[in-house]
Amino acid sequence: MRSQELRQAFVDFFTARGHKHLPSAGLIPDRMSTTLFTIAGMEQFVPAFLGDEPAPAPNVVTVQRCLRVAGAKSDIENVGRTGRHGTFLEMLGNFSFGGYYKREAIGYAWEFVTGPMRLDPARLAVTVHVADEEAERIWREEIGIPPERVTRFDEDNFWTMGPTGPCGPSTEIFYDSGAGNALGPQDDGPNRGNRWVEIWNVVFQQYNRGADGRLTELPRKQIDTGAGLERMLAVANGMSSMYETDLFTDIIDAQPPVGQTTLSPKDRLERRNIIADHARAATFLINDGVYPGNADRGYVLRFLIRRAIRNGRLLGYPNGFLTQLVPAVVASLEPGYPELRANQARIAQALQAEERAFDRTLERGTNMLDRLLEEAEANRTRRLSGADVFTLHDTYGFPMELTREIVVELVVTLDADGFEDAMNEQRERARKDAAAKRSVVTTAELPAMRSEFVGYDGLECDGTVVAILKERQSVEALEAGENGAIVLDRTPFYAEKGGQIGDRGTLSAPASAGGMAPADFDVRDTQSVGEAVTHHGALLAGVLRVGDTVHAAVHPEWRREIRRHHTSAHLLQRALKDVLGEEVAQAGSWVGIDRMRFDFRSPTGALTPEQKRDVVRRVNEMIRDDVPLRTQVLPAAQARASGAIMMFGEKYGESVRVVSAGPSVEFCGGTHARSTGELGLFLLLSESSVGSGIRRIEASVSRAAEEYVCRQQDLVAELAAALASAPDDLLERVAKIQRDVKEMQNAIGTLKARLAADEAQSYVDRAERTDGKTFVGAVVRDTGAEALQYLSGAIRRRLHSGVIALAGIDNGAVSIFVSASDDLVRAGVHAGDLVKLAAPFVDGKGGGQPAQARGGGKNPDGAESAVRAIREAVLGR
């Protein structure tokens, strides 16, 4: 049985039994998930399990792609080394949201493994939770499993997806792979070794674990099944390892021949398996919008890529081998995920960039690591310091986990705590912020509710206050002078999402019958929590209560400028693809009232001046065409088939909003101009790098562009007046000034040299001599590094043997310059060492060659001591 046959058999089995087939979610989970990546098939249904959202259907079947590379579900240490562990996996799942429970779920599981999979019932055993009498009774009395093949466990049969969220007792099916795979006589049942392979897990989703650890009953009893395709496929084909199935063999066979290596045959095979697994994981992460980086998901992807590259090096593979595996990975997984083919070029491009980046530092980093390991062996600590591990990470791109894996192979430890201490504060703050965003699954401050957005059609509407938040707590009323967040049942306010900032405006209510002043709420930001829209701001007058009817009005100018800038982002992406190629992929955006930022992966790196001009020209052409914007709501599959551009990694529902602006067609839920001509003028303000392979363009349109042009015109006029030049002649005028400045600098240098020559003899006359060594030392005021070098050269021309040590002080900075004659260098004097000795006295550093060296610092008070230290080192007194 091949992988696609098993995928299809599973889907067909459950659709024939009343389940709705839904597509796989991406590897990036919902923003409120407790996990960094999607680790289970049930993850996309968490809101439905919790009762926060309606279920997509009573019963559902999916084939979900998952990544388990960090945390409690991680299998990274065993990947490639056992036949049943991997980072990227496909989870076959059937789910019921109150449609059926234990009896049906257990029956379906047994029917599938003994039916379509044709497994021998005599080689199957099951486990249940220690307190689950019902599940054991069903297995024994209704399915007919012998009592000796039903085992109870506690934690092993209680499934959780993380620190919070849906959870419950489970029952699992195990397959006996044969006595030849047993670890010993005690390996005679599930969870006791390698002989019994878990192939099916039914979770009875019964509880929700809160942030405080307490379990509360879910609103209904539900079913969540997980069956790993890779293990199931191996078992169905009588194989002991999933790496022997077609999911992996094609990728392993596509790898280059093993080159010169000292690895054993077993180690070679394991490393080839690791590369195949990591190639699958990296391919799908990039497909889903994750790119190599230094934080969160990007950091994990970088670790997987660089771990694969390092294993390839140990196998003697050539540079770039990982990128060459992308076609094999796509061909292997395309039957289940046809979108991979369309994204193959983008995936290969991202992998190639990361391979090249790591190749540039790998050899130097490996040399440094080898040196550190030799030192750890020599000093008998067999331990790497946190600072050294950080240097490997920061300078040579070795993720700490990769360094740890390398040193563990050599029985050396590393100071992980010291490494964490050495990480910069900015990354720590980003990490903590990301962790905080993922800390809980539900928003306890807000009941489950939905706000109807009516802002596509207008800027005003009446709505009812359904909730009020004050300091993150739900309250019944808000009084004048208090800040809070108001939730309405319907609103024209657009909540921040997709890079577009939230609307501003007012919520107003008439005076109450009791004579209370009219309520006036100033909306200063609009956000979303689940499907509720929260209007953040301050109540300027009156009282607002839950149940009040208010009139919601968005500031027209605010919305107008935002929607024009949002539309410009669409036109810019179209122009970038037209100029640079279709490989351009959006990596993020931010849309405000006076500018927008657009981040994208560029196939050509930085834009040339000509490319910038072409992009601006193309956007303005589309603006001048004055094409009306058209919006359609289409089924997601139809929208994709239309060629509309989608944001990689974004989660879309069954229906999507498609915005067309002439040749630009994109998935988008934001607000937009009525026609492209409304934008007026597009200006590219800047283009820069914001990460590996990612470029950022900042631009303005509409009134902001007009104001920018006016400011630039004023600036040019002022410069022209100041330089006594016509605006068109400014470049020539500035070039002439630069030439004049250069000539004056040269003249000053010549004058300094002459002055230094005049002063040099006086320094020689004050030279000190001891035991055949001559020393000239001085602190020179109001002298910078360049003048100090002139003076030293002039002294050297008059002093053929000796050491010259000068410290110059200029505007609070100290320059140190040391020169040693050839005969003293031969005698062991080293100018670089003398500078290193002196620099700490001026709170600085420095060094150089034996004959000449320089340094500097920021403490003028230590200059005399610095020269004195060199004198004592040379003359010995």
Side-chain angles (χ1 to χ4, degrees):
M1 179 180 282
R2 291 186 62 82
S3 54
Q4 180 56 17
E5 293 178 76
L6 182 53
R7 280 193 202 97
Q8 197 60 50
F10 184 85
V11 171
D12 291 346
F13 178 88
F14 282 100
T15 53
R17 288 157 180 77
H19 291 63
K20 182 179 182 180
H21 179 209
L22 294 180
S24 169
L27 289 177
I28 304 174
D30 182 86
R31 64 187 178 90
M32 296 307 292
S33 172
T34 59
T35 62
L36 195 60
F37 298 103
T38 300
I39 64 168
M42 58 79 66
E43 201 156 346
Q44 65 171 307
F45 304 120
V46 167
F49 279 122
L50 293 173
D52 293 344
E53 293 180 4
N59 305 318
V60 168
V61 60
T62 66
V63 180
Q64 174 63 50
R65 53 185 180 269
C66 302
L67 191 79
R68 295 181 178 178
V69 75
K73 303 294 181 184
S74 173
D75 294 324
I76 190 68
E77 298 299 331
N78 294 318
V79 168
R81 305 186 189 281
T82 74
R84 59 188 71 168
H85 291 97
T87 58
F88 175 80
L89 57 98
E90 296 176 74
M91 193 62 70
L92 308 175
N94 60 284
F95 307 90
S96 183
F97 305 95
Y100 58 82
Y101 202 46
K102 293 185 180 180
R103 174 178 286 105
E104 294 86 349
I106 291 173
Y108 288 150
W110 186 257
E111 185 180 354
F112 186 81
V113 297
T114 58
M117 285 188 67
R118 299 188 294 275
L119 299 185
D120 181 359
R123 299 184 70 171
L124 299 173
V126 300
T127 64
V128 297
H129 189 258
V130 289
D132 198 343
E133 300 285 348
E134 182 184 1
E136 181 171 356
R137 182 186 59 76
I138 294 171
W139 279 118
R140 292 174 59 177
E141 297 179 9
E142 300 186 25
I143 302 300
I145 295 284
E148 64 273 13
R149 284 196 275 125
V150 180
T151 313
R152 293 191 180 198
F153 291 93
D154 188 1
E155 292 184 0
D156 284 333
N157 278 99
F158 193 92
W159 195 91
T160 64
M161 67 172 287
T164 63
C167 55
S170 67
T171 182
E172 297 175 313
I173 302 176
F174 286 78
Y175 179 79
D176 182 3
S177 66
N181 292 313
L183 297 179
Q186 77 284 356
D187 189 358
D188 58 356
N191 294 326
R192 294 176 184 169
N194 285 339
R195 176 172 176 174
W196 292 80
V197 183
E198 177 215 328
I199 59 171
W200 198 291
N201 182 17
V202 182
V203 181
F204 308 119
Q205 295 286 7
Q206 187 173 342
Y207 305 106
N208 177 36
R209 189 189 300 277
D212 58 0
R214 288 189 301 173
L215 298 178
T216 57
E217 290 278 344
L218 289 172
R220 58 184 174 232
K221 301 292 189 294
Q222 299 161 111
I223 290 297
D224 158 25
T225 287
L229 173 68
E230 293 78 6
R231 292 188 186 184
M232 295 264 283
L233 188 62
V235 166
N237 287 289
M239 299 169 177
S240 60
S241 170
M242 67 185 191
Y243 292 99
E244 298 172 6
T245 68
D246 69 281
L247 286 169
F248 292 91
T249 53
D250 292 345
I251 305 172
I252 293 172
D253 291 343
Q255 294 179 31
V258 175
Q260 287 190 336
T261 178
T262 59
L263 300 176
S264 67
K266 177 177 179 295
D267 205 7
R268 295 179 194 181
L269 179 59
E270 289 176 352
R271 294 183 187 278
R272 286 167 68 84
N273 291 345
I274 290 171
I275 291 170
D277 171 86
H278 290 7
R280 282 162 40 100
T283 295
F284 246 117
L285 281 169
I286 298 170
N287 178 80
D288 287 0
V290 179
Y291 289 91
N294 290 325
D296 293 326
R297 299 183 182 98
Y299 181 81
V300 173
L301 173 58
R302 172 159 287 167
F303 164 63
L304 291 172
I305 293 173
R306 297 191 170 190
R307 188 171 188 251
I309 294 171
R310 188 228 169 205
N311 278 282
R313 284 294 182 89
L314 293 175
L315 289 165
Y317 288 177
N319 292 351
F321 77 89
L322 196 59
T323 304
Q324 300 302 317
L325 292 181
V326 171
V329 176
V330 170
S332 172
L333 291 167
E334 186 179 16
Y337 307 93
E339 68 269 25
L340 284 173
R341 179 65 62 187
N343 297 328
Q344 180 174 324
R346 178 173 60 84
I347 295 166
Q349 179 192 347
L351 266 180
Q352 184 180 60
E354 183 65 10
E355 278 199 275
R356 287 176 175 172
F358 193 39
D359 284 340
R360 286 194 293 267
T361 60
L362 180 58
E363 185 172 349
R364 289 189 296 132
T366 301
N367 291 339
M368 178 183 175
L369 180 56
D370 290 342
R371 187 172 69 253
L372 292 173
L373 290 170
E374 290 174 3
E375 292 174 1
E377 180 72 30
N379 60 29
R380 299 185 180 181
T381 62
R382 302 194 67 81
R383 183 174 176 83
L384 298 188
S385 71
D388 287 336
V389 175
F390 177 76
T391 300
L392 283 166
H393 159 79
D394 191 52
T395 305
Y396 300 105
F398 273 62
M400 190 266 285
E401 293 81 358
L402 181 58
T403 301
R404 175 192 283 138
E405 182 174 303
I406 296 170
V407 302
V408 165
E409 293 173 359
L410 302 172
V411 200
V412 175
T413 62
L414 57 79
D415 179 10
D417 291 337
F419 169 80
E420 291 299 331
D421 292 340
M423 297 298 288
N424 62 66
E425 294 179 4
Q426 182 179 7
R427 177 172 169 186
E428 285 300 314
R429 284 195 297 270
R431 214 180 242 173
K432 289 175 183 177
D433 180 60
K437 291 178 181 177
R438 299 192 299 271
S439 59
V440 292
V441 174
T442 59
T443 305
E445 302 89 346
L446 200 63
M449 58 183 61
R450 179 179 181 275
S451 301
E452 179 188 0
F453 177 64
V454 297
Y456 289 134
D457 301 319
L459 300 181
E460 299 185 25
C461 79
D462 290 338
T464 301
V465 177
V466 294
I468 299 176
L469 293 178
K470 178 183 174 184
E471 296 178 352
R472 297 178 64 85
Q473 298 298 318
S474 183
V475 297
E476 288 298 312
L478 203 65
E479 298 184 357
E482 294 182 329
N483 295 326
I486 310 298
V487 182
L488 306 180
D489 63 341
R490 61 198 306 266
T491 178
F493 283 77
Y494 185 86
E496 180 175 342
K497 70 176 71 169
Q500 178 175 326
I501 63 175
D503 278 335
R504 294 183 181 181
T506 61
L507 305 178
S508 57
S512 66
M516 188 70 69
D520 181 11
F521 186 85
D522 182 27
V523 180
R524 298 166 182 173
D525 189 19
T526 309
Q527 298 289 325
S528 61
V529 179
E531 294 195 57
V533 174
T534 55
H535 307 74
H536 297 256
L539 188 62
L540 304 181
V543 175
L544 267 184
R545 294 182 174 85
V546 173
D548 285 354
T549 298
V550 299
H551 183 72
V554 178
H555 288 324
E557 182 180 331
W558 183 270
R559 171 70 72 80
R560 183 190 68 217
E561 295 305 313
I562 287 176
R563 59 185 175 82
R564 288 175 177 174
H565 278 92
H566 196 150
T567 301
S568 77
H570 285 224
L571 301 186
L572 173 60
Q573 178 161 212
R574 183 64 265 162
L576 286 168
K577 287 178 175 286
D578 290 345
V579 173
L580 304 181
E582 290 294 331
E583 295 83 3
V584 167
Q586 183 177 352
S589 66
W590 179 88
V591 177
I593 64 167
D594 61 350
R595 69 181 55 210
M596 70 88 178
R597 290 197 306 262
F598 187 83
D599 296 344
F600 64 100
R601 301 197 71 85
S602 170
T604 61
L607 272 65
T608 65
E610 183 180 0
Q611 287 172 330
K612 292 177 187 177
R613 286 192 294 271
D614 289 344
V615 167
V616 171
R617 187 181 301 115
R618 182 72 185 105
V619 174
N620 282 310
E621 283 175 356
M622 289 186 277
I623 290 174
R624 287 192 295 273
D625 288 342
D626 195 20
V627 177
L629 268 73
R630 187 166 56 95
T631 302
Q632 296 174 283
V633 177
L634 302 173
Q638 182 181 343
R640 291 189 183 94
S642 73
I645 298 171
M646 57 186 289
M647 176 75 174
F648 293 108
E650 194 74 19
K651 186 177 181 181
Y652 297 101
E654 292 186 32
S655 296
V656 296
R657 191 165 176 264
V658 177
V659 177
S660 301
S664 166
V665 184
E666 296 190 26
F667 288 29
C668 187
T671 61
H672 288 279
R674 294 178 178 84
S675 72
T676 60
E678 193 181 316
L679 278 59
L681 172 67
F682 175 87
L683 293 178
L684 194 157
L685 305 179
S686 67
E687 190 266 345
S688 60
S689 171
V690 291
S692 178
I694 299 177
R695 309 296 300 178
R696 168 173 291 172
I697 283 178
E698 293 199 14
S700 287
V701 294
S702 188
R703 193 179 69 181
E706 179 185 334
E707 292 174 351
Y708 181 85
V709 169
C710 289
R711 289 196 304 272
Q712 294 299 303
Q713 286 179 325
D714 291 344
L715 178 61
V716 169
E718 290 176 15
L719 286 172
L723 297 176
S725 170
D728 289 344
D729 297 332
L730 273 175
L731 277 178
E732 183 179 340
R733 177 66 173 144
V734 170
K736 183 179 185 305
I737 292 174
Q738 289 176 327
R739 290 194 298 271
D740 292 343
V741 169
K742 183 65 175 176
E743 289 175 2
M744 285 189 287
Q745 288 174 336
N746 292 336
I748 291 171
T750 301
L751 180 60
K752 285 181 177 180
R754 290 174 179 171
L755 291 173
D758 293 340
E759 294 180 41
Q761 189 58 49
S762 65
Y763 286 99
V764 174
D765 293 342
R766 297 197 299 270
E768 298 180 70
R769 293 175 176 82
T770 301
D771 297 332
K773 293 179 181 177
T774 302
F775 175 77
V776 172
V779 175
V780 188
R781 306 287 173 177
D782 301 321
T783 302
E786 185 179 6
L788 203 68
Q789 186 173 353
Y790 277 126
L791 178 57
S792 178
I795 295 172
R796 172 60 63 206
R797 285 190 290 275
R798 290 163 173 77
L799 183 71
H800 301 297
S801 176
V803 171
I804 303 166
L806 303 176
I809 300 175
D810 186 34
N811 293 323
V814 182
S815 301
I816 299 174
F817 193 89
V818 176
S819 167
S821 59
D822 292 343
D823 59 320
L824 292 186
V825 169
R826 288 192 295 271
V829 174
H830 194 295
D833 291 343
L834 293 174
V835 170
K836 290 178 182 178
L837 174 69
F841 289 96
V842 294
D843 298 338
K845 58 184 179 179
Q849 301 302 313
Q852 188 170 286
R854 68 189 68 203
K858 299 178 180 179
N859 179 18
D861 294 338
E864 295 284 358
S865 299
V867 175
R868 190 180 305 117
I870 298 174
R871 175 183 176 277
E872 292 173 355
V874 173
L875 301 180
R877 58 184 175 87

